[in-house]
């Protein structure tokens, strides 16, 4: 039986029912959202679905990030719902975040009825116009019939090529419009990837063979493509010292001998310094983000560039490449591997070893579970390699990036491109809903956590296995650090004068809380909290003077790291 | 001869013809503070597609703009017209006459 079987006789269905049926056929089993006047027909249809579990959030941004959490953990498009007007504007941050990190999310929003569009009707905003620059594509649906094309196409687009968010805005009267459905369309799925040009592959292989000091530079595209294995094989075969971006942490296991660590503003000194001496960068699924490159004009000044990326617009966008290969990075690496010669490069390997020894990433306090790095490591000690780590944005995010032993792709969910505070908790919730068998730990800061704290109630409601590890410095820590270091210690609007009792707050939301500050044995308390099922907030006070080191000053080249 | 086309180039986009397309296309330029000097849009054939001509300054970002335009789902094709194409100069003389 094919997916496109036609029913014996046409079914008379509303637009809303068509949406729900198409989502079911698409394989959607969980979706998050909030109802309101303009999407009530959709909710009325969703009520009758026996296979889709709706997660009612407390803010639409939470629903958007739950979808992201599901999508980031699984690689499959995930869905969120919001009503028109404020429901939709509340979603925008999560959509923009998905755009910058290339996450396949399908957002379905209610809109006022067609005859009211453009009249400043109650809860009308120009959703289409608002979302053009933050989606991969968007639709304003004009008829119930059109949904049969638009919904599968939205899923296809979200997942194809460079993934990204797609928004479908559906006027209320279109949701209510009844049409006969004669035949269901095939569910939308990612387009297949064409092979890369053989000449370019040969040129790349030759450059790698001739390079004396190559570096393999892995980005988030390696995660999206599922190409971590191919990247490892390339690194091993050509003997390539490897760095990863923030988003690509875990694509090469932390203890792999070729791994130098993360590059960039808070990267490993040996990674930044090796790149500075490199004569060839093999850039795979990365886009030369400024937090990764530092001052671009002085980034890897001696290096030629091989750039492999699925998005042709990324090639030569910020850094001219000598060989640019447009294509799915997994497919390209698969084709490139047979052309690669094994190589020793003893001089470069010796230099890399020296840099690793003399300029390692320093993680002071690892043995103290109540210090930043020590807490990250103590959490890791209690988790297996299936555990998923989400973060918010700030110092805690960088401490977790640096100290967590990342071993596998799709286990590290962090807001890279947009750097959105409030990302962590709802994204962790989404990941936990997608993988109920695994533990999801979310490293958060007191500033970030408060931005979506309401989703603690959702965590209790869904009884998800999410552990919020709150590193509480009662401060917007990263801002405080920047002001201290680069604004003459004029700290302002960074220290909170009022701080909630987070333990009581979690409990008030129906979530268990553990306070490491008062625990007689913090490691034991941590282990118990992380290994018993269900949501839990783990609170730990952090000294406001703790810094993220190293740090490349804004506008400086990566070799000029402070605090190494 | 100096005319409005000097140091400028014309991009010809073949696009799906629906109300949102123009916003998508000009949005690419506006959010990069890249001015569009002239714009013309006409339906093609049965009206399912249309063609948009953009008169833009020669700029080192032009190649990036073309690539970004090619990524738009509703854009079927992007072509850069020959340097001596004076479509907009002819239009100008038509309107100014
Ligand atoms: C939504 C949003 N607003 C503002 C910022 C700017 N910002 C970046 S880090 C940071 C401080 C984060 O504080 P906290 O979550 O407490 O983490 P900490 O740095 O203390 O670990 C701020 C305000 C941001 N990234 N996101």
């Amino acid at each position: 039986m094919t997916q496109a079987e036609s029913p014996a006789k046409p079914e008379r269905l509303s637009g809303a029912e068509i949406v729900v049926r198409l989502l079911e056929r698409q394989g959607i089993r969980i979706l998050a959202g909030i109802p309101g006047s303009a999407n009530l027909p959709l909710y009325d249809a969703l009520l009758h679905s026996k296979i889709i579990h709706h997660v009612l959030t407390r803010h639409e941004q939470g629903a958007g990030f739950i979808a992201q959490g599901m999508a980031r953990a699984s690689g499959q498009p995930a869905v969120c719902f919001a009503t028109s007007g404020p429901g939709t504007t509340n979603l925008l941050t999560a959509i923009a975040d998905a755009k910058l990190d290339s996450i396949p999310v399908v957002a379905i929003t209610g809109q006022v009825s067609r005859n009211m569009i453009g009249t400043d009707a109650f809860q009308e905003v120009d959703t289409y116009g608002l979302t053009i620059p933050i989606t991969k594509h968007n639709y304003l649906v004009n008829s119930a019939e059109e949904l049969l094309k638009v919904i599968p196409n939205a899923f296809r687009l979200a997942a194809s090529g460079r993934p990204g968010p797609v928004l479908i805005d559906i006027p209320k009267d279109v949701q209510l419009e009844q049409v006969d459905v004669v035949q269901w369309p095939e569910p939308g799925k990612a387009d297949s990837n064409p092979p890369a040009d053989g000449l370019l592959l040969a040129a790349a292989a030759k450059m790698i063979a001739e390079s004396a000091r190559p570096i393999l530079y892995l980005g988030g595209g390696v995660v999206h493509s599922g190409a971590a294995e191919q990247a490892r094989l390339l690194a091993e075969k050509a003997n390539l010292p490897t760095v990863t971006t923030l988003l690509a942490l875990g694509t090469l296991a932390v203890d792999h001998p070729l791994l130098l660590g993360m590059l960039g503003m808070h990267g490993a000194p040996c990674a930044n310094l090796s790149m500075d001496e490199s004569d060839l960068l093999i850039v795979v699924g990365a886009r030369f983000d400024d937090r990764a490159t530092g001052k671009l004009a002085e980034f890897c000044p001696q290096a030629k560039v091989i750039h492999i990326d699925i998005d042709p617009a990324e090639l030569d966008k910020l850094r001219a490449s000598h060989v640019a290969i447009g294509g799915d990075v997994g497919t390209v690496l698969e084709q490139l591997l047979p052309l690669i010669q094994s190589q020793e490069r003893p001089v470069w390997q010796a230099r890399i070893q020296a840099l690793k020894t003399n300029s390692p990433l320093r993680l002071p306090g690892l043995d103290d579970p109540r210090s930043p790095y020590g807490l990250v490591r103590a959490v890791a000690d209690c988790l297996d390699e299936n555990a998923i780590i989400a973060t918010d944005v700030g110092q805690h995010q960088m401490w977790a990036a640096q100290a967590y032993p990342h071993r596998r792709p799709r286990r590290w969910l962090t807001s890279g491109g947009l750097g959105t505070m409030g990302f962590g908790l709802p994204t962790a919730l989404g990941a936990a809903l997608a993988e109920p068998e695994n533990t999801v730990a979310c490293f958060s800061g007191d500033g970030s956590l408060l931005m979506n704290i309401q989703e603690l109630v959702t965590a209790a409601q869904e009884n998800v296995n999410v552990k919020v590890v709150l590193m509480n410095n009662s401060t917007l820590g990263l801002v405080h650090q920047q002001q201290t270091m680069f604004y003459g210690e004029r700290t302002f609007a960074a220290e909170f004068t009022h701080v909630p009792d987070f333990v009581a707050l979690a409990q008030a939301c129906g979530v268990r809380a553990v306070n490491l500050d008062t625990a007689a044995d913090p490691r034991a308390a941590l282990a118990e909290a992380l290994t018993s099922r269900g949501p839990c907030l783990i609170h730990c006070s952090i000294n406001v003077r703790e810094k993220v080191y190293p740090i490349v000053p804004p506008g400086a080249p990566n070799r000029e790291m402070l605090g190494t | 001869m100096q005319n409005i086309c000097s140091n400028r180039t014309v991009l010809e986009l073949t696009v799906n013809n629906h109300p949102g397309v123009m916003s998508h296309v000009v949005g690419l330029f506006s959010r990069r503070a890249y001015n569009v000097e002239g714009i013309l849009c006409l339906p093609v054939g049965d009206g399912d597609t249309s063609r948009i001509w953009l008169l833009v300054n020669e700029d080192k970002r032009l190649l990036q703009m073309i690539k970004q335009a090619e990524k738009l789902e509703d854009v079927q094709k992007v072509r850069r017209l020959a340097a001596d194409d004076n479509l907009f100069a002819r239009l100008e003389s038509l309107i100014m006459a």
Side-chain angles (χ1 to χ4, degrees):
Chain A
M1 198 171 72
T2 72
Q3 292 271 31
E5 85 273 19
S6 43
K9 61 177 190 330
E11 286 176 90
R12 187 110 185 125
L13 296 170
S14 71
E17 289 167 327
I18 291 173
V19 171
V20 172
R21 289 281 282 276
L22 288 171
L23 293 179
E24 290 178 348
R25 295 172 60 87
Q26 223 26 84
I28 298 302
R29 296 296 173 262
I30 300 170
L31 73 81
I34 298 186
S37 161
N39 67 355
L40 274 180
L42 279 170
Y43 272 86
D44 200 32
L46 192 57
L47 164 72
H48 298 288
S49 174
K50 294 190 175 58
I51 53 176
I52 299 180
H53 170 62
H54 177 259
V55 177
L56 177 61
T57 61
R58 300 305 187 269
H59 189 295
E60 286 83 357
Q61 191 183 114
F65 281 129
I66 285 179
Q68 274 217 40
M70 295 192 282
R72 284 182 189 245
S74 70
Q76 299 303 313
V79 178
C80 54
F81 274 10
T83 191
S84 67
T88 298
T89 53
N90 274 351
L91 257 188
L92 297 182
T93 301
I95 296 175
D97 188 281
K99 176 80 183 321
L100 278 169
D101 286 351
S102 307
I103 306 301
V105 166
V106 176
I108 299 181
T109 52
Q111 180 56 278
V112 301
S113 291
R114 280 171 298 177
N115 63 347
M116 314 262 281
I117 289 181
T119 67
D120 301 322
F122 178 64
Q123 296 192 329
E124 182 193 1
V125 291
D126 176 11
T127 300
Y128 187 87
L130 281 170
T131 54
I132 284 175
I134 57 168
T135 53
K136 188 172 170 189
H137 191 57
N138 60 357
Y139 297 93
L140 171 56
V141 181
N142 220 347
S143 68
E145 183 74 44
E146 232 178 82
L147 289 165
L148 293 163
K149 279 207 186 98
V150 165
I151 304 260
N153 228 357
F155 278 88
R156 180 183 65 80
L157 282 171
S160 295
R162 178 179 184 171
V166 177
L167 180 135
I168 308 171
D169 197 30
I170 313 178
K172 190 173 181 178
D173 62 321
V174 171
Q175 298 170 40
L176 293 168
E177 186 191 353
Q178 300 269 332
V179 288
D180 286 330
V181 178
V182 185
Q183 193 169 20
W184 290 99
E186 291 281 342
K189 58 178 197 336
D191 297 332
S192 58
N193 296 302
D197 180 340
L199 286 175
L200 291 175
L201 292 165
K206 183 158 177 283
M207 276 174 79
I208 295 171
E210 288 170 355
S211 163
R213 299 182 306 279
I215 294 278
L216 179 61
Y217 167 1
L218 304 177
V222 176
V223 177
H224 301 317
S225 167
E229 185 63 12
Q230 287 93 330
R232 180 181 62 81
L233 291 172
L234 174 67
E236 288 173 355
K237 195 162 178 197
N239 215 345
L240 304 172
T242 301
V243 302
T244 81
T245 65
L246 176 68
L247 287 185
L249 289 171
T251 51
L252 194 63
V254 63
D255 44 11
H256 195 287
L258 286 166
L259 186 73
L260 285 159
M262 181 170 80
L263 83 158
M265 187 172 214
H266 300 293
C270 54
N272 284 336
L273 295 174
S274 304
M275 296 186 85
D276 204 50
E277 295 181 16
S278 159
D279 69 355
L280 176 67
L281 292 183
I282 303 133
V283 187
V284 184
R287 59 181 177 86
F288 295 96
D289 175 78
D290 49 278
R291 288 289 152 117
T293 63
K295 185 178 182 184
L296 190 61
E298 291 182 45
F299 179 62
C300 306
Q302 313 164 43
K304 290 187 175 171
V305 172
I306 298 171
H307 195 176
I308 306 172
D309 201 283
I310 197 158
D311 181 355
E314 289 301 340
L315 304 172
D316 300 317
K317 183 181 85 175
L318 290 166
R319 171 81 180 238
S321 49
H322 298 75
V323 174
I325 307 181
D328 166 60
V329 297
T331 312
V332 174
L333 293 182
E334 198 75 58
Q335 287 176 272
L336 184 59
L337 276 168
L339 311 180
I340 299 293
Q341 308 158 9
S342 299
Q343 243 166 324
E344 293 300 322
R345 293 193 192 86
V347 179
W348 184 227
Q349 291 305 333
R351 177 65 187 147
I352 292 283
Q353 283 318 317
L355 284 168
K356 272 184 158 178
T357 311
N358 300 329
S359 305
L361 178 66
R362 288 185 212 284
L363 302 170
L366 269 189
D367 50 0
D368 175 5
R370 286 189 283 219
S371 76
Y373 294 124
L375 178 55
V376 172
R377 236 0 123 66
V379 169
D381 288 343
C382 300
L383 299 174
D384 63 24
E385 63 172 41
N386 293 325
I388 295 174
I389 305 303
T391 77
D392 262 304
V393 171
Q395 291 181 309
H396 62 275
Q397 175 189 31
M398 292 301 133
W399 289 325
Q402 293 172 327
Y404 198 86
H406 309 278
R407 287 179 202 284
R408 289 176 46 198
R410 291 207 184 285
R411 303 292 89 179
W412 166 251
L413 318 184
T414 201
S415 172
L418 198 65
T420 312
M421 292 169 68
F423 171 95
L425 171 58
T427 301
L429 240 156
L433 287 162
E435 297 187 15
E437 66 283 11
N438 290 325
T439 305
V440 183
C442 168
F443 289 99
S444 189
D446 50 294
S448 293
L449 187 59
L450 283 177
M451 290 213 183
N452 272 320
I453 189 82
Q454 75 287 346
E455 303 310 334
L456 274 181
V457 188
T458 315
Q461 159 195 301
E462 300 297 319
N463 194 26
V464 285
N465 204 19
V466 166
K467 314 294 179 183
V468 177
V469 182
L470 174 57
M471 302 172 108
N472 182 5
N473 51 15
S474 304
T475 302
L476 297 169
L478 202 57
V479 169
H480 191 267
Q481 173 170 351
Q482 298 250 355
Q483 291 175 333
T484 305
M485 297 184 70
F486 308 123
Y487 290 82
E489 298 187 22
R490 292 182 301 279
T491 58
F492 173 64
E495 274 157 302
F496 290 115
T497 55
H498 290 63
V499 179
D501 176 344
F502 281 100
V503 168
L505 182 51
Q507 287 164 349
C509 294
V511 168
R512 222 191 119 199
V514 171
N515 193 353
L516 299 188
D517 296 355
T518 52
D521 180 347
R523 278 185 200 279
L526 197 56
E528 189 279 326
L530 288 167
T531 49
S532 54
R533 269 199 82 85
C536 182
L537 179 110
I538 299 160
H539 177 272
C540 184
S541 292
I542 295 292
N543 191 319
V544 63
R545 283 189 298 276
E546 294 281 1
K547 304 265 186 307
V548 182
Y549 288 133
I551 180 168
V552 177
N558 277 352
R559 78 180 82 84
E560 290 173 19
M561 293 162 280
L562 304 177
T564 53
Chain B
M1 193 185 76
Q2 276 290 117
N3 65 31
I4 58 164
C5 296
S6 303
N7 301 319
R8 293 188 173 138
T9 195
V10 175
L11 300 181
E12 181 193 273
L13 282 68
T14 308
V15 303
N16 298 334
N17 184 5
H18 73 80
V21 174
M22 197 61 104
S23 285
H24 273 274
V25 170
V26 297
L28 283 187
F29 289 83
S30 60
R31 74 176 194 261
R32 291 175 175 82
Y34 194 139
N35 200 38
V36 176
E37 306 292 332
I39 190 162
L40 173 68
C41 180
L42 292 168
V44 179
D46 60 5
D48 274 354
T49 55
S50 46
R51 209 155 274 154
I52 301 175
W53 291 269
L54 302 172
L55 178 69
V56 295
N57 285 329
E58 292 280 358
D59 185 309
K60 62 178 192 314
R61 295 172 297 171
L62 195 59
L63 213 61
Q64 176 66 16
M65 295 313 304
I66 293 172
K67 286 182 178 179
Q68 292 293 348
E70 284 171 337
K71 281 197 333 185
L72 293 178
E73 180 60 14
D74 283 322
V75 172
Q76 298 167 13
K77 204 170 107 187
V78 181
R79 207 160 68 93
R80 194 173 164 174
L81 296 192
D84 61 353
D85 186 280
N86 57 0
L87 169 68
F88 279 90
R90 280 179 287 149
L91 255 180
E92 187 191 32
S93 58
L94 200 71
I95 293 162
M96 297 307 173

